[in-house]
Amino acid sequence: MVGDMETGHTTLSQYLLRAKQAISRTYSGPEKIISEISSIKNHANGNVYIELAEYAGETNERRLIAKVSATVMRSNRRILTEFEKHAGEKLAAGMKVLIEIQTTYQEIWGMSVNIVGIDHKYTMGDMAALVTEIREKLVAEGIYNRNKSRPQPFDYYGIGIIAPSVSAGLEDFNKKLENIPDTVCQKRISHCVFQSDKAGDAIAVLIENMNKSTTSFDAILVIRGGGGKSDLNYLNHERLARQICLSRTPVYVGIGHETDRTILDEVANRSFSTPSMVANFISEHICQRAQDMESFWLDISREAMTRLKDKEGQYRDGWASLCASVTELSNERESRLQAHYHDTMRLSSAYVHKTENELLSINSSLTQGVNRAVSHIEIAANQSWQDCQRQGLRRTELMEGEIQSAMDLLETSINQTQRDLKDNEERERLNREALLAQQKKHRAQLITAGLVVVILMIIILILWGFINE
Amino acid sequence: MSEKAHFQTSFEQLKKIASEFKSAENMSLDEIESKFKIAKEAYIVCKGRITEIKDLIAQSEES
């Protein structure tokens, strides 16, 4: 063994050379091994990097006992194509495979495991078998799609978060959501281990408690960032998967990396490749709801304003049209009225003229008629006058005769009356004389009677005096 | 009714009215007024949350 010339100590190259020689002796040629593929990544340089893993224990109690990173060199990629051709699917994480590997060691690059052959007869690995077993049980119980089919919340006012206490992925997650205050969305974080045999039970209990909590959660998020593929096997847990199925609250799973999938991704309401994507989804949903609402309101305001303006325009147009119609109608009526006026004036003038002529004609006729009537009346009157004169003379003559005879008779009567009057006067004188004589006689009788009475009175008075004395 | 329920009801109302405004060709003045009034009431109910979220968006855009 050759050491450093000055100090006598072994150098790094000398030390690693021994390691190289030991590995070269141990792994002298390619060997076939059985392993499970934890992850598989295509690199830009053409190489494909595959993480190989081995687990111990039964379905729910599996634990990782070995893992190593292997490479399919660009020059050897044809083995992947051949595998896909024969197995019917691409080589993927979760598959159990029989591979031929060549292990080498170089002082500068370290140990490298190169995959030089793949037996396509091994297409299913232990991890995939476990997932299949859990899936079949949940399907048989009729709960496999229960959480998946739950309606997504309208918006997020409260979320329960289950995550490891320390995780790069959680920091990313927190950065995305930390700006959203609790007044908008209340966040309750519960920490628990994710890379442990107890992870499945612990997470299941937290989900159960969040469902029983008085705090109303719109979603429960199970998130974990980074980590190796083999660590995910702890999450292929039957109780945990069942609890997610039975959760009344939608469960969102965000477990990195993008190529990592577990049974939780299958049964959860929504599955995301990373915690950051869950945070993005929640925050974008909250913002989108608010923006949608704002947008609806703006649309309504704009539309209402447009419609009101349209109405105003319609009313303005209608008013202008109405004014124009009224003016047009007014002008038309006016011209028609003027035409009527002129027609009427013309007709009335003609009528007046005609009527005047008719009246003049009537007047002339009437004058002639009156004149004729007057002359007839005059003739008739003259004739009547003459008749009257003739009859009057005859009557006068007759009356004169009668009057003469009446005068004679009257004279006779007067004479007779005069004679009667004289007779009566005489008789009257005689009667008057007789009456005067009778009056004298009566007067004498009265005086006598008066004297007697006076005497009697005096006698009575005298007697009365005596009596009183 | 909880704030969440109010928000959802208001959201549905606004969505419906916005859709009606877009689809209806003719709308009377009374209809426009009544729909706008309902929309305004619905918006006011949720305005606090919307404003808070809008502020967050503005802050994140600035940063």
Side-chain angles (χ1 to χ4, degrees):
Chain A
M1 189 179 297
V2 181
D4 184 80
M5 295 300 286
E6 292 179 2
T7 61
H9 288 131
T10 306
T11 63
L12 176 63
S13 60
Q14 291 166 346
Y15 180 78
L16 293 179
L17 180 62
R18 292 200 336 255
K20 182 180 178 181
Q21 289 167 345
I23 286 172
S24 180
R25 279 197 302 275
T26 308
Y27 307 110
S28 57
E31 283 185 38
K32 285 188 175 179
I33 62 159
I34 292 172
S35 177
E36 188 174 297
I37 295 174
S38 291
S39 69
I40 181 165
K41 282 182 182 173
N42 290 301
H43 197 272
N45 60 14
N47 294 338
V48 179
Y49 298 102
I50 298 173
E51 188 174 84
L52 302 172
E54 184 179 350
Y55 301 89
E58 294 304 318
T59 309
N60 289 336
E61 304 294 331
R62 294 195 338 150
R63 58 192 175 82
L64 183 70
I65 57 172
K67 66 176 180 178
V68 71
S69 292
T71 308
V72 177
M73 300 303 288
R74 184 176 58 183
S75 57
N76 206 24
R77 280 190 68 137
R78 60 176 177 75
I79 62 171
L80 296 173
T81 314
E82 283 177 8
F83 175 86
E84 185 180 346
K85 182 182 172 185
H86 291 102
E89 58 182 323
K90 286 184 176 178
L91 195 68
M95 287 183 174
K96 192 172 182 180
V97 289
L98 176 60
I99 55 176
E100 191 173 9
I101 59 173
Q102 173 70 61
T103 302
T104 57
Y105 189 90
Q106 292 178 326
E107 294 89 330
I108 296 174
W109 306 109
M111 190 177 82
S112 60
V113 178
N114 293 322
I115 299 172
V116 294
I118 307 170
D119 190 335
H120 60 266
K121 292 176 184 173
Y122 287 83
T123 55
M124 295 291 288
D126 284 346
M127 281 174 66
L130 175 63
V131 170
T132 304
E133 183 187 335
I134 296 171
R135 185 190 302 124
E136 284 172 355
K137 280 186 181 176
L138 297 176
V139 169
E141 290 170 25
I143 59 172
Y144 179 75
N145 280 318
R146 191 170 289 182
N147 195 263
K148 195 185 285 290
S149 59
R150 286 194 183 279
Q152 282 191 35
F154 174 76
D155 205 353
Y156 298 93
Y157 281 75
I159 51 173
I161 302 163
I162 300 170
S165 55
V166 180
S167 166
L170 188 58
E171 283 173 16
D172 292 343
F173 176 87
N174 286 335
K175 276 182 188 171
K176 299 277 183 188
L177 281 187
E178 68 184 358
N179 287 332
I180 298 177
D182 279 356
T183 50
V184 173
C185 181
Q186 196 174 3
K187 301 172 284 292
R188 197 178 95 185
I189 300 177
S190 298
H191 296 296
C192 79
V193 291
F194 271 63
Q195 291 164 307
S196 158
D197 291 347
K198 295 174 183 173
D201 287 327
I203 298 169
V205 168
L206 287 174
I207 291 173
E208 190 177 3
N209 290 342
M210 284 180 177
N211 272 289
K212 289 177 182 172
S213 169
T214 52
T215 308
S216 173
F217 294 110
D218 294 302
I220 296 171
L221 318 183
V222 179
I223 54 171
R224 191 211 75 172
K229 174 73 179 177
S230 55
D231 297 330
L232 292 177
N233 201 41
Y234 298 119
L235 301 178
N236 284 320
H237 193 277
E238 186 178 326
R239 182 186 171 191
L240 174 55
R242 182 175 287 105
Q243 189 59 54
I244 289 175
C245 289
L246 295 174
S247 172
R248 290 191 307 276
T249 307
V251 177
Y252 296 173
V253 173
I255 297 169
H257 298 284
E258 287 188 21
T259 55
D260 299 339
R261 279 187 68 82
T262 66
I263 185 68
L264 309 190
D265 294 294
E266 292 185 25
V267 296
N269 188 272
R270 289 187 76 93
S271 168
F272 297 88
S273 299
T274 62
S276 300
M277 290 176 77
V278 183
N280 281 341
F281 177 80
I282 300 278
S283 63
E284 281 172 9
H285 185 96
I286 289 171
C287 293
Q288 192 60 51
R289 280 283 185 231
Q291 283 174 333
D292 284 349
M293 199 134 179
E294 184 77 4
S295 172
F296 290 147
W297 169 242
L298 290 174
D299 284 350
I300 289 166
S301 303
R302 194 164 43 238
E303 196 68 34
M305 187 59 72
T306 306
R307 282 174 185 268
L308 285 175
K309 280 183 180 172
D310 287 348
K311 290 280 177 197
E312 189 184 355
Q314 284 172 12
Y315 287 133
R316 277 185 196 281
D317 292 346
W319 176 249
S321 173
L322 187 64
C323 287
S325 298
V326 167
T327 307
E328 191 180 347
L329 193 64
S330 175
N331 291 337
E332 185 191 336
R333 287 281 168 88
E334 192 178 342
S335 59
R336 280 168 62 188
L337 281 172
Q338 280 182 346
H340 280 309
Y341 174 75
H342 290 310
D343 286 349
T344 307
M345 287 302 289
R346 186 170 46 75
L347 287 171
S348 61
S349 176
Y351 183 73
V352 165
H353 188 67
K354 182 184 170 188
T355 308
E356 198 174 39
N357 289 338
E358 284 176 359
L359 283 172
L360 286 171
S361 171
I362 289 166
N363 187 31
S364 171
S365 299
L366 280 173
T367 307
Q368 287 174 0
V370 167
N371 288 338
R372 274 199 303 275
V374 167
S375 63
H376 284 312
I377 289 166
E378 278 179 352
I379 291 165
N382 286 331
Q383 199 169 3
S384 296
W385 174 247
Q386 286 172 359
D387 288 347
C388 284
Q389 276 185 328
R390 278 195 298 275
Q391 286 180 0
L393 283 171
R394 197 163 51 246
R395 285 268 183 100
T396 304
E397 286 172 1
L398 287 171
M399 283 179 73
E400 278 180 352
E402 285 175 0
I403 289 167
Q404 188 61 47
S405 53
M407 290 281 288
D408 291 342
L409 186 60
L410 186 63
E411 194 177 349
T412 306
S413 297
I414 289 168
N415 290 333
Q416 183 62 38
T417 304
Q418 283 177 343
R419 280 193 303 272
D420 290 344
L421 280 171
K422 283 179 181 175
D423 291 343
N424 285 339
E425 282 175 1
E426 187 64 29
R427 274 196 302 269
E428 216 171 283
R429 191 184 59 82
L430 290 173
N431 286 336
R432 206 161 37 235
E433 285 176 359
L435 189 58
L436 284 169
Q438 201 173 0
Q439 282 177 345
K440 283 177 182 177
K441 186 184 173 183
H442 283 159
R443 200 174 298 138
Q445 286 175 344
L446 282 168
I447 292 166
T448 307
L451 286 170
V452 170
V453 169
V454 169
I455 294 164
L456 283 171
M457 287 291 288
I458 293 166
I459 294 166
I460 290 166
L461 286 168
I462 295 166
L463 285 172
W464 181 257
F466 279 119
I467 292 167
N468 285 331
E469 287 177 1
Chain B
M1 198 184 279
S2 67
E3 189 192 348
K4 189 163 42 177
H6 267 307
F7 189 76
Q8 184 167 359
T9 307
S10 300
F11 185 90
E12 299 297 343
Q13 271 183 329
L14 282 175
K15 188 176 177 183
K16 181 170 171 281
I17 292 169
S19 165
E20 285 171 352
F21 264 117
K22 277 183 183 170
S23 60
E25 287 183 3
N26 291 317
M27 208 178 267
S28 68
L29 270 177
D30 286 344
E31 278 180 298
I32 295 169
E33 188 186 358
S34 66
K35 284 181 192 303
F36 184 76
K37 198 178 279 184
I38 293 167
K40 189 178 178 184
E41 284 171 6
Y43 179 71
I44 285 169
V45 169
C46 311
K47 200 178 176 184
R49 182 176 172 88
I50 292 169
T51 307
E52 207 165 1
I53 294 168
K54 275 168 65 183
D55 291 344
L56 288 175
I57 294 168
Q59 282 172 16
S60 65
E61 281 173 357
E62 279 176 15
S63 63

